[in-house]
Amino acid sequence: MYDRQPFHQFVPHRVDRAIKRLKEQIYHVEGDPLRVLQTKATREHRPVSDAKSLTFTEVKKTPRAWGNLFDQCFWTIDLRGRETKGRFLKWDDLGEATVFLDEMPIFGFDPGHHVQKLPNIKGGINELLVESICCRSGVWVPGENRHMTAEGSIFHSATLLTRDEKAFALMHDLDTLLQTVLLMIRRDRNGEFDMFGGSYREHFDSLTPLARRMLVLLSDIVAAYEKDGIAAACKVSARAYKELHGRGEPDAEIILTGHAHIDLVWLWPETTADFKAVHSLSNALSLMDRYPEFVFGYSQPASYDAIESRAPKLMKEVGRRIKSGQFEHAGCLYVESDTQLPCGENLLRSFEIGQLECMRRFGERSKVLWLPDVFGYSNCIPQLMNQFGVEYFYTTKQHWSNYTLFPHSSFVWEGQDGSEALAHVSFMHYNLEATPDQIRFTADHHRQAG
């Protein structure tokens, strides 16, 4: 038995520090930075098929400033003679980027995605094509505080990495357990608990037996890590998950579905939103390859038109994933429309065009109206839903109010003419910001324990 922390209130701090140390042990640079070539940045956005006709110049000195806001450029990454199987690519540039292999987008880089796993290709990968835009929009990601500069984007390097899988697994195991027990602590305190705001002076005597047991298990895992290293801590973690899984039937089952909400025009022009559609959906399909159970939903046929023109191979793959059940088209409007400013005729045409696009591309209408980011709801919506065969309405915006609690999660929405639609409002009291890897590792432990 390892030395256990006797005071529960110190455990969250100790675990948080262990997670930070583990993050530094996960990835390791392999070899020198990769040879990179770049085209001239232009305001005009070109499809990936045009890249081969452009002039590429080798990037010999870094850091390198490039582009004006929302400009596009292409890069090539030379991987000849480098082992790519089981390797990860790190792309260090302020701008957002999408990586292509044979004109098929395979994943993207942005503030939430700094490192991506390379696909295992027989014979290895000789070259990758990268599309970049001089834009950085995901600065709300925890720990991200770099912004676009007056000089444009700043490119530093492209490097190959290896990953310590045990360190990766242990970090996510600890983070998942820590975030779960913090939710339980906050629930015990009616939402009031700041791990770094003097919590070490608090007493946890009122916590449930399960929460206290989880703190003990977390303390054991960290003690093993500090004394004997990652491998020993992984064994203790496996026993902890097995014990927690064996405490009887769970109180609830959680079904998680990935989603990308893209503002087609917000802090950027439409061409940038078109880039973001290719970028986001390529990341989603990459996750499907790694995690077959991952399901992703998207809701705007307008983005499919953009993908068709910029990366047609991706659109074909989206259609295949819809047939396999991994990709859900969940939007009957052509765009995620505001419903207060447009008139009824405008909304009707958005329904009509959206459903026609669904039929043309996928052979069926969408049964879901998904409006996650809208600031008002016209009372003609149920009537229009009924006319276009849409059965379900889903939104999230009601939970944004700090003063008025929306009283229902699921309800029947009655429109101005008496039309009815089944509506659901998502409530997000706490945001775990769990990554697919965190979710997958927790699920894997449960499968192994069961």
Side-chain angles (χ1 to χ4, degrees), residues 5 18 73 82 86 120 122 135 142 187 234 312-313 315 380 423 450:
Q5 170 58 257
C73 76
R82 305 291 289 265
N120 288 331
K122 187 176 181 180
C135 174
R187 184 174 60 186
C234 285
K313 287 187 177 181
M315 195 61 237
C380 72

Side-chain angles (χ1 to χ4, degrees), residues 252-277:
E253 180 180 353
I254 300 175
I255 299 174
L256 300 174
T257 299
H259 168 68
H261 161 65
I262 300 175
D263 289 296
L264 299 187
V265 179
W266 183 41
L267 300 177
W268 46 75
E270 287 183 67
T271 52
T272 300
D274 294 347
F275 165 89
K276 288 177 177 291

Side-chain angles (χ1 to χ4, degrees), residues 125-144:
I125 302 172
N126 290 323
E127 185 179 85
L128 291 171
L129 179 70
V130 181
E131 177 192 6
S132 287
I133 57 169
C134 193
C135 174
R136 185 176 181 83
S137 58
V139 292
W140 49 80
V141 176
E144 283 296 328

